[in-house]
Amino acid sequence: MNLRKSRSAGASSPLNGVGKQDAESRRKRKMAEITQALNTTPVDVAALRRMAISEGGLMNDEIRRQVWPRLLNVSVEKIPEQLEPVDRDNNKDFNQVLLDVQRSLRRFPPGMPDEQREGLQEELTDIILRVLVKNPQLHYYQGYHDIVVTFLLVLGERLATALVEKLSTHHLRDFMDPTMDNTKHILNYLMPIIERVNPEVYDYMQQAEVGTIFALSWLITWFGHVLSDFRHVVRLYDFFLACHPLMPIYFAAVIVLHREDEVLDCECDMAMMHHLLSRIPEDLPYETLISRAGDLFVQFPPSELARERNQMTAVSTFKDFELASTQQRPDTVLRQRRKEQQQRTLEAQQGTVAVVQPTARRFMRLAVMGLTVALGAAALAVVNSALEWAPKLDLLFP
């Protein structure tokens, strides 16, 4: 109890002002690095990926409008000024898209005037139909609109159309098959990752026969459907756009692992476990989980998981990084992130010891999730992996 009081008092102490100054200084430094990367000829995409992964992501939508196209290798200069008209009357997907868009009220900022929201919903419908008509090999799925609306709100209709089309023919390609077979295959990566990190949680979930369907909406909407705070959604999109297309499944795994105590305390029943896992807490430590997801990607790359499961999906064919890349020296931003991460972990450990007697598995989780010796290098390896496949997207998926 005293510990909680002292923490509250610390919030208004003079030291807090110093912390704010440091945060603002880091923000300005990062802004300058992003600007420099954008102004380099050619654009330094590697630096932009590092900025998108590092703590805080791309910070604001103005930066995202400049950086997201670069991360997807979309040439803004080649996007037509006038978008193609949409023939809604003769479109087989129109009715389903319209129903989903009409149910998307919660995805728009609270307090937005009805007229403005309705206009955006019209644009949202047109973007989806435009992409589907242009790419008849793609099949609409419920939840696709949750991804598209994020791009619309950040980029506007014209730019969002181009980026959503690129995303749909690459990162989201497996979800847009006629069947859900490849989507199920990608979901099947979840449990092997959990098993490698925490066999106890894996065994308990297997005993409960909960499966992986609880994570379906996470995966196919890039968490856009299940997170209520738009800031968290776009932060994750920064991360996913800068990384390998399978990164969302690694992030799903770290959410489950982060909730170890809740999972093991839950009744070993399929319905109860599904109910628990399908509801994502509002107070997740997103930056910690992003670091952990990148670290797990380094330890258990998609190619290794795909070989073991004898599965081959569109996203799993992207070439993984070479392990030697983990030995490269991380840049200043990532080294600073590692230092800050370790400091937060130390504070969390001290808080845990002071409040309750920690269990053995809590110590194990803190050790695994917080004291990762190669955190900065792991993040850099994720960037290197993204850079290896990103320039070859058009070759892999003509």
Side-chain angles (χ1 to χ4, degrees), residues 340-350 366 370-371:
E340 293 170 354
Q341 177 71 21
Q342 291 175 334
Q343 179 62 32
R344 286 195 297 269
T345 301
L346 180 61
E347 292 173 355
Q349 286 179 300
Q350 292 172 342
L366 287 172
L371 301 179

Side-chain angles (χ1 to χ4, degrees), residues 207-220:
Q207 185 179 349
E209 299 181 340
V210 69
T212 57
I213 294 300
F214 68 87
L216 176 62
S217 64
W218 305 358
L219 178 66
I220 65 175

Side-chain angles (χ1 to χ4, degrees), residues 58 63 76 109 118 128 179 214 222 253 278 287 308 328 356 390:
L58 297 175
I63 294 175
V76 177
E118 290 168 0
I128 295 172
T179 70
F214 68 87
W222 277 13
S278 61
E287 295 300 333
E308 292 182 7
Q328 296 182 24
V356 296

Side-chain angles (χ1 to χ4, degrees), residues 214-262:
F214 68 87
L216 176 62
S217 64
W218 305 358
L219 178 66
I220 65 175
T221 70
W222 277 13
F223 297 86
H225 182 73
V226 292
L227 297 181
S228 57
D229 193 326
F230 191 71
R231 294 173 302 172
H232 296 153
V233 175
V234 292
R235 173 65 188 102
L236 287 182
Y237 278 39
D238 291 342
F239 179 49
F240 295 154
L241 287 171
C243 295
H244 190 285
L246 278 173
M247 189 57 78
I249 203 68
Y250 286 83
F251 193 79
V254 298
I255 289 180
V256 176
L257 293 166
H258 175 72
R259 303 179 69 189
E260 171 195 353
D261 290 342
E262 293 178 76

Side-chain angles (χ1 to χ4, degrees), residues 302-344:
S303 58
E304 174 188 316
L305 300 177
R307 281 195 303 270
E308 292 182 7
R309 303 193 61 81
N310 195 28
Q311 293 174 353
M312 194 60 64
T313 60
V315 293
S316 70
T317 61
F318 286 115
K319 183 181 179 183
D320 294 323
F321 60 92
E322 297 295 333
L323 292 180
S325 67
T326 61
Q327 304 302 319
Q328 296 182 24
R329 180 183 177 186
D331 69 330
T332 303
V333 174
L334 294 175
R335 289 201 306 274
Q336 179 64 26
R337 176 174 183 139
R338 176 185 176 188
K339 180 179 177 182
E340 293 170 354
Q341 177 71 21
Q342 291 175 334
Q343 179 62 32
R344 286 195 297 269

